[in-house]
Amino acid sequence: MTIRQGGVIDIDTVVLPVSSELVSGFKVRRVLPSKYGRMVGPFVLFDQMGPAVFNTGQGFDVGPHPHIGLAAVTYLIDGEIVHRDSLGKVQALRPGEVSWMTAGSGIVHSERTPPEARASGSNFFGIQAWVALPCRHEEVAADFAHYSEPEIPRTCARGVEFTLIAGASDGFVSPVRTFSDMVFAEIVLTSGARYQVRPEHHERAVYVVAGEVEIVGRPGSFRAAELILLEPGAEIVLKAPAFHSSRLMLMGGEPFPEPRHVYWNFVSSSAERIEQAKTDWRERRFPEVPGEEEFAPLPKDLDQNANGLP
């Protein structure tokens, strides 16, 4: 669905989220993959986690589960989680920090609210995206990297706070090691502030995390949890409505020449590799996460074209 305004085509599609509730009151909103069945550059999955308020004894709990063929990037707005993986890495992630987990040939990890936050109750709000790896890197050795808040490029000017989580954009280059051309950024606009989305990457999309956002020259606004897919080459200006702020995520990059198969937590250019990963997990050939005892069975009746976690 291409949206035309004043004879100029700037928006391809607006994607609405599919929501699921992991625990009572905690929602995950997913806009990639969507019914349109497309990636945005290398991005194959995009989840908004929360916002949520956990009462005493509650928390975010994703037990040990496997991945292949992707990199998972996690960025928190509020709260804290602890990452544990089969490499033996244990790392807390807090707002403004970035974790980049390269699954490659295979990794298992868990993500949980730390005990001290669980004991007192806590807030939680974050973003996680999966980035497909280029064919030549799909089987690289698994790795996990954490970047502190001061390491991540951030600029504030004219009511715009721009944080470059990964990739390159606006004259900045993130220290996060990626495997393909991309941009992944958080943009916070104060009342009436504007940000120009330049055609630096072939495929781009803007996700509205909170508030609303307008596109200059186009009537109406886009609301929270909507993903705006931009036409290649389109140059737009985003604007926060008067007396309101907007929190956005910008993602994009060059598309891959080969399609990606996605089943549960597995991503690959090869359907046979997906089948091998399923067998390996079912027969418990993946390495274990030290300190974790849970085992998540393969989802039953999951259509391979359903793409991603149930």
Side-chain angles (χ1 to χ4, degrees), residues 67-91:
H67 290 287
I68 65 163
L70 61 86
V73 55
T74 308
Y75 180 79
L76 297 189
I77 299 163
D78 195 6
E80 181 180 354
I81 56 174
V82 174
H83 162 98
R84 289 181 174 83
D85 64 39
S86 52
L87 301 174
K89 300 285 184 69
V90 179
Q91 177 65 57

PDB file of all heavy atoms in Angstrom, residues 67-91:
ATOM      1  N   HIS A  67      19.249 -19.173  19.422  1.00  0.00           N
ATOM      2  CA  HIS A  67      19.193 -18.359  18.207  1.00  0.00           C
ATOM      3  C   HIS A  67      20.278 -18.834  17.248  1.00  0.00           C
ATOM      4  O   HIS A  67      21.338 -19.310  17.681  1.00  0.00           O
ATOM      5  CB  HIS A  67      19.453 -16.882  18.509  1.00  0.00           C
ATOM      6  CG  HIS A  67      18.375 -16.187  19.259  1.00  0.00           C
ATOM      7  ND1 HIS A  67      17.176 -15.831  18.700  1.00  0.00           N
ATOM      8  CD2 HIS A  67      18.321 -15.759  20.554  1.00  0.00           C
ATOM      9  CE1 HIS A  67      16.429 -15.199  19.606  1.00  0.00           C
ATOM     10  NE2 HIS A  67      17.100 -15.165  20.743  1.00  0.00           N
ATOM     11  N   ILE A  68      20.030 -18.655  15.963  1.00  0.00           N
ATOM     12  CA  ILE A  68      21.068 -18.788  14.933  1.00  0.00           C
ATOM     13  C   ILE A  68      20.847 -17.691  13.901  1.00  0.00           C
ATOM     14  O   ILE A  68      19.733 -17.169  13.743  1.00  0.00           O
ATOM     15  CB  ILE A  68      21.046 -20.162  14.212  1.00  0.00           C
ATOM     16  CG1 ILE A  68      19.741 -20.327  13.403  1.00  0.00           C
ATOM     17  CG2 ILE A  68      21.246 -21.303  15.178  1.00  0.00           C
ATOM     18  CD1 ILE A  68      19.801 -21.429  12.355  1.00  0.00           C
ATOM     19  N   GLY A  69      21.914 -17.327  13.179  1.00  0.00           N
ATOM     20  CA  GLY A  69      21.807 -16.518  11.971  1.00  0.00           C
ATOM     21  C   GLY A  69      21.412 -15.077  12.130  1.00  0.00           C
ATOM     22  O   GLY A  69      21.111 -14.410  11.142  1.00  0.00           O
ATOM     23  N   LEU A  70      21.427 -14.554  13.354  1.00  0.00           N
ATOM     24  CA  LEU A  70      20.984 -13.182  13.575  1.00  0.00           C
ATOM     25  C   LEU A  70      21.842 -12.511  14.631  1.00  0.00           C
ATOM     26  O   LEU A  70      22.634 -13.141  15.323  1.00  0.00           O
ATOM     27  CB  LEU A  70      19.512 -13.153  14.010  1.00  0.00           C
ATOM     28  CG  LEU A  70      19.149 -13.873  15.322  1.00  0.00           C
ATOM     29  CD1 LEU A  70      19.334 -12.980  16.553  1.00  0.00           C
ATOM     30  CD2 LEU A  70      17.710 -14.381  15.288  1.00  0.00           C
ATOM     31  N   ALA A  71      21.649 -11.206  14.770  1.00  0.00           N
ATOM     32  CA  ALA A  71      22.173 -10.460  15.908  1.00  0.00           C
ATOM     33  C   ALA A  71      20.982  -9.794  16.573  1.00  0.00           C
ATOM     34  O   ALA A  71      20.131  -9.206  15.896  1.00  0.00           O
ATOM     35  CB  ALA A  71      23.187  -9.413  15.459  1.00  0.00           C
ATOM     36  N   ALA A  72      20.903  -9.901  17.890  1.00  0.00           N
ATOM     37  CA  ALA A  72      19.820  -9.273  18.649  1.00  0.00           C
ATOM     38  C   ALA A  72      20.370  -8.038  19.337  1.00  0.00           C
ATOM     39  O   ALA A  72      21.361  -8.108  20.065  1.00  0.00           O
ATOM     40  CB  ALA A  72      19.251 -10.247  19.675  1.00  0.00           C
ATOM     41  N   VAL A  73      19.729  -6.898  19.096  1.00  0.00           N
ATOM     42  CA  VAL A  73      20.152  -5.648  19.722  1.00  0.00           C
ATOM     43  C   VAL A  73      19.056  -5.203  20.676  1.00  0.00           C
ATOM     44  O   VAL A  73      17.870  -5.165  20.314  1.00  0.00           O
ATOM     45  CB  VAL A  73      20.474  -4.565  18.670  1.00  0.00           C
ATOM     46  CG1 VAL A  73      19.309  -4.331  17.717  1.00  0.00           C
ATOM     47  CG2 VAL A  73      20.876  -3.260  19.344  1.00  0.00           C
ATOM     48  N   THR A  74      19.444  -4.906  21.923  1.00  0.00           N
ATOM     49  CA  THR A  74      18.483  -4.537  22.958  1.00  0.00           C
ATOM     50  C   THR A  74      18.849  -3.174  23.518  1.00  0.00           C
ATOM     51  O   THR A  74      20.021  -2.889  23.789  1.00  0.00           O
ATOM     52  CB  THR A  74      18.476  -5.578  24.094  1.00  0.00           C
ATOM     53  OG1 THR A  74      18.300  -6.886  23.532  1.00  0.00           O
ATOM     54  CG2 THR A  74      17.350  -5.306  25.080  1.00  0.00           C
ATOM     55  N   TYR A  75      17.805  -2.334  23.700  1.00  0.00           N
ATOM     56  CA  TYR A  75      17.982  -0.956  24.168  1.00  0.00           C
ATOM     57  C   TYR A  75      16.841  -0.649  25.126  1.00  0.00           C
ATOM     58  O   TYR A  75      15.667  -0.787  24.770  1.00  0.00           O
ATOM     59  CB  TYR A  75      17.954   0.003  22.972  1.00  0.00           C
ATOM     60  CG  TYR A  75      18.131   1.457  23.314  1.00  0.00           C
ATOM     61  CD1 TYR A  75      19.400   1.981  23.571  1.00  0.00           C
ATOM     62  CD2 TYR A  75      17.042   2.323  23.350  1.00  0.00           C
ATOM     63  CE1 TYR A  75      19.569   3.331  23.862  1.00  0.00           C
ATOM     64  CE2 TYR A  75      17.200   3.665  23.638  1.00  0.00           C
ATOM     65  CZ  TYR A  75      18.466   4.175  23.896  1.00  0.00           C
ATOM     66  OH  TYR A  75      18.632   5.507  24.175  1.00  0.00           O
ATOM     67  N   LEU A  76      17.183  -0.271  26.353  1.00  0.00           N
ATOM     68  CA  LEU A  76      16.165   0.001  27.363  1.00  0.00           C
ATOM     69  C   LEU A  76      15.925   1.493  27.536  1.00  0.00           C
ATOM     70  O   LEU A  76      16.857   2.307  27.486  1.00  0.00           O
ATOM     71  CB  LEU A  76      16.564  -0.604  28.707  1.00  0.00           C
ATOM     72  CG  LEU A  76      16.696  -2.131  28.788  1.00  0.00           C
ATOM     73  CD1 LEU A  76      16.889  -2.565  30.233  1.00  0.00           C
ATOM     74  CD2 LEU A  76      15.492  -2.834  28.170  1.00  0.00           C
ATOM     75  N   ILE A  77      14.662   1.820  27.776  1.00  0.00           N
ATOM     76  CA  ILE A  77      14.244   3.180  28.087  1.00  0.00           C
ATOM     77  C   ILE A  77      14.051   3.340  29.592  1.00  0.00           C
ATOM     78  O   ILE A  77      14.313   4.380  30.174  1.00  0.00           O
ATOM     79  CB  ILE A  77      12.948   3.522  27.326  1.00  0.00           C
ATOM     80  CG1 ILE A  77      13.195   3.435  25.818  1.00  0.00           C
ATOM     81  CG2 ILE A  77      12.416   4.907  27.698  1.00  0.00           C
ATOM     82  CD1 ILE A  77      11.939   3.349  24.987  1.00  0.00           C
ATOM     83  N   ASP A  78      13.620   2.256  30.239  1.00  0.00           N
ATOM     84  CA  ASP A  78      13.403   2.262  31.685  1.00  0.00           C
ATOM     85  C   ASP A  78      13.608   0.848  32.212  1.00  0.00           C
ATOM     86  O   ASP A  78      13.348  -0.136  31.509  1.00  0.00           O
ATOM     87  CB  ASP A  78      11.980   2.741  32.003  1.00  0.00           C
ATOM     88  CG  ASP A  78      11.778   3.130  33.457  1.00  0.00           C
ATOM     89  OD1 ASP A  78      12.777   3.145  34.215  1.00  0.00           O
ATOM     90  OD2 ASP A  78      10.627   3.425  33.846  1.00  0.00           O
ATOM     91  N   GLY A  79      14.082   0.731  33.450  1.00  0.00           N
ATOM     92  CA  GLY A  79      14.232  -0.575  34.074  1.00  0.00           C
ATOM     93  C   GLY A  79      15.600  -1.197  33.871  1.00  0.00           C
ATOM     94  O   GLY A  79      16.563  -0.534  33.468  1.00  0.00           O
ATOM     95  N   GLU A  80      15.674  -2.492  34.117  1.00  0.00           N
ATOM     96  CA  GLU A  80      16.935  -3.223  34.043  1.00  0.00           C
ATOM     97  C   GLU A  80      16.661  -4.700  33.804  1.00  0.00           C
ATOM     98  O   GLU A  80      15.693  -5.245  34.331  1.00  0.00           O
ATOM     99  CB  GLU A  80      17.716  -3.050  35.349  1.00  0.00           C
ATOM    100  CG  GLU A  80      19.059  -3.748  35.388  1.00  0.00           C
ATOM    101  CD  GLU A  80      19.790  -3.539  36.702  1.00  0.00           C
ATOM    102  OE1 GLU A  80      19.296  -2.749  37.539  1.00  0.00           O
ATOM    103  OE2 GLU A  80      20.854  -4.170  36.894  1.00  0.00           O
ATOM    104  N   ILE A  81      17.494  -5.334  33.002  1.00  0.00           N
ATOM    105  CA  ILE A  81      17.452  -6.791  32.836  1.00  0.00           C
ATOM    106  C   ILE A  81      18.874  -7.329  32.905  1.00  0.00           C
ATOM    107  O   ILE A  81      19.843  -6.596  32.695  1.00  0.00           O
ATOM    108  CB  ILE A  81      16.787  -7.239  31.509  1.00  0.00           C
ATOM    109  CG1 ILE A  81      17.472  -6.599  30.294  1.00  0.00           C
ATOM    110  CG2 ILE A  81      15.296  -6.983  31.515  1.00  0.00           C
ATOM    111  CD1 ILE A  81      16.962  -7.120  28.968  1.00  0.00           C
ATOM    112  N   VAL A  82      18.973  -8.616  33.208  1.00  0.00           N
ATOM    113  CA  VAL A  82      20.269  -9.281  33.233  1.00  0.00           C
ATOM    114  C   VAL A  82      20.298 -10.335  32.132  1.00  0.00           C
ATOM    115  O   VAL A  82      19.416 -11.198  32.061  1.00  0.00           O
ATOM    116  CB  VAL A  82      20.547  -9.930  34.602  1.00  0.00           C
ATOM    117  CG1 VAL A  82      21.840 -10.739  34.552  1.00  0.00           C
ATOM    118  CG2 VAL A  82      20.635  -8.859  35.684  1.00  0.00           C
ATOM    119  N   HIS A  83      21.296 -10.227  31.271  1.00  0.00           N
ATOM    120  CA  HIS A  83      21.525 -11.181  30.178  1.00  0.00           C
ATOM    121  C   HIS A  83      22.496 -12.253  30.662  1.00  0.00           C
ATOM    122  O   HIS A  83      23.543 -11.960  31.248  1.00  0.00           O
ATOM    123  CB  HIS A  83      22.114 -10.429  28.977  1.00  0.00           C
ATOM    124  CG  HIS A  83      22.785 -11.312  27.971  1.00  0.00           C
ATOM    125  ND1 HIS A  83      22.157 -11.730  26.818  1.00  0.00           N
ATOM    126  CD2 HIS A  83      24.043 -11.856  27.941  1.00  0.00           C
ATOM    127  CE1 HIS A  83      22.994 -12.491  26.123  1.00  0.00           C
ATOM    128  NE2 HIS A  83      24.136 -12.579  26.784  1.00  0.00           N
ATOM    129  N   ARG A  84      22.149 -13.518  30.402  1.00  0.00           N
ATOM    130  CA  ARG A  84      23.051 -14.647  30.631  1.00  0.00           C
ATOM    131  C   ARG A  84      23.077 -15.492  29.367  1.00  0.00           C
ATOM    132  O   ARG A  84      22.019 -15.705  28.753  1.00  0.00           O
ATOM    133  CB  ARG A  84      22.582 -15.499  31.818  1.00  0.00           C
ATOM    134  CG  ARG A  84      22.762 -14.849  33.171  1.00  0.00           C
ATOM    135  CD  ARG A  84      22.282 -15.775  34.289  1.00  0.00           C
ATOM    136  NE  ARG A  84      22.579 -15.231  35.604  1.00  0.00           N
ATOM    137  CZ  ARG A  84      21.820 -14.343  36.229  1.00  0.00           C
ATOM    138  NH1 ARG A  84      20.703 -13.913  35.655  1.00  0.00           N
ATOM    139  NH2 ARG A  84      22.161 -13.889  37.431  1.00  0.00           N
ATOM    140  N   ASP A  85      24.236 -16.001  28.986  1.00  0.00           N
ATOM    141  CA  ASP A  85      24.278 -16.790  27.757  1.00  0.00           C
ATOM    142  C   ASP A  85      25.202 -17.993  27.885  1.00  0.00           C
ATOM    143  O   ASP A  85      25.894 -18.187  28.890  1.00  0.00           O
ATOM    144  CB  ASP A  85      24.655 -15.917  26.553  1.00  0.00           C
ATOM    145  CG  ASP A  85      26.050 -15.325  26.639  1.00  0.00           C
ATOM    146  OD1 ASP A  85      26.973 -16.021  27.097  1.00  0.00           O
ATOM    147  OD2 ASP A  85      26.233 -14.153  26.236  1.00  0.00           O
ATOM    148  N   SER A  86      25.184 -18.817  26.839  1.00  0.00           N
ATOM    149  CA  SER A  86      25.942 -20.063  26.816  1.00  0.00           C
ATOM    150  C   SER A  86      27.438 -19.843  26.644  1.00  0.00           C
ATOM    151  O   SER A  86      28.216 -20.801  26.710  1.00  0.00           O
ATOM    152  CB  SER A  86      25.413 -20.975  25.700  1.00  0.00           C
ATOM    153  OG  SER A  86      25.356 -20.281  24.458  1.00  0.00           O
ATOM    154  N   LEU A  87      27.866 -18.600  26.431  1.00  0.00           N
ATOM    155  CA  LEU A  87      29.287 -18.266  26.409  1.00  0.00           C
ATOM    156  C   LEU A  87      29.798 -18.011  27.825  1.00  0.00           C
ATOM    157  O   LEU A  87      30.992 -17.791  28.026  1.00  0.00           O
ATOM    158  CB  LEU A  87      29.532 -17.021  25.556  1.00  0.00           C
ATOM    159  CG  LEU A  87      29.091 -17.093  24.087  1.00  0.00           C
ATOM    160  CD1 LEU A  87      29.271 -15.742  23.423  1.00  0.00           C
ATOM    161  CD2 LEU A  87      29.855 -18.177  23.352  1.00  0.00           C
ATOM    162  N   GLY A  88      28.860 -17.993  28.795  1.00  0.00           N
ATOM    163  CA  GLY A  88      29.226 -17.694  30.171  1.00  0.00           C
ATOM    164  C   GLY A  88      29.156 -16.219  30.507  1.00  0.00           C
ATOM    165  O   GLY A  88      29.529 -15.812  31.619  1.00  0.00           O
ATOM    166  N   LYS A  89      28.663 -15.404  29.566  1.00  0.00           N
ATOM    167  CA  LYS A  89      28.557 -13.961  29.806  1.00  0.00           C
ATOM    168  C   LYS A  89      27.347 -13.669  30.696  1.00  0.00           C
ATOM    169  O   LYS A  89      26.263 -14.218  30.490  1.00  0.00           O
ATOM    170  CB  LYS A  89      28.399 -13.207  28.487  1.00  0.00           C
ATOM    171  CG  LYS A  89      29.551 -13.396  27.492  1.00  0.00           C
ATOM    172  CD  LYS A  89      30.788 -12.625  27.897  1.00  0.00           C
ATOM    173  CE  LYS A  89      31.894 -12.749  26.863  1.00  0.00           C
ATOM    174  NZ  LYS A  89      31.596 -12.056  25.610  1.00  0.00           N
ATOM    175  N   VAL A  90      27.549 -12.781  31.666  1.00  0.00           N
ATOM    176  CA  VAL A  90      26.475 -12.272  32.519  1.00  0.00           C
ATOM    177  C   VAL A  90      26.594 -10.758  32.512  1.00  0.00           C
ATOM    178  O   VAL A  90      27.651 -10.215  32.873  1.00  0.00           O
ATOM    179  CB  VAL A  90      26.576 -12.800  33.963  1.00  0.00           C
ATOM    180  CG1 VAL A  90      25.452 -12.218  34.815  1.00  0.00           C
ATOM    181  CG2 VAL A  90      26.536 -14.319  33.987  1.00  0.00           C
ATOM    182  N   GLN A  91      25.537 -10.056  32.067  1.00  0.00           N
ATOM    183  CA  GLN A  91      25.642  -8.614  31.916  1.00  0.00           C
ATOM    184  C   GLN A  91      24.303  -7.936  32.220  1.00  0.00           C
ATOM    185  O   GLN A  91      23.267  -8.297  31.651  1.00  0.00           O
ATOM    186  CB  GLN A  91      26.063  -8.264  30.483  1.00  0.00           C
ATOM    187  CG  GLN A  91      26.132  -6.777  30.195  1.00  0.00           C
ATOM    188  CD  GLN A  91      27.210  -6.081  31.004  1.00  0.00           C
ATOM    189  OE1 GLN A  91      28.386  -6.456  30.928  1.00  0.00           O
ATOM    190  NE2 GLN A  91      26.820  -5.073  31.774  1.00  0.00           N
TER     191      GLN A  91
END
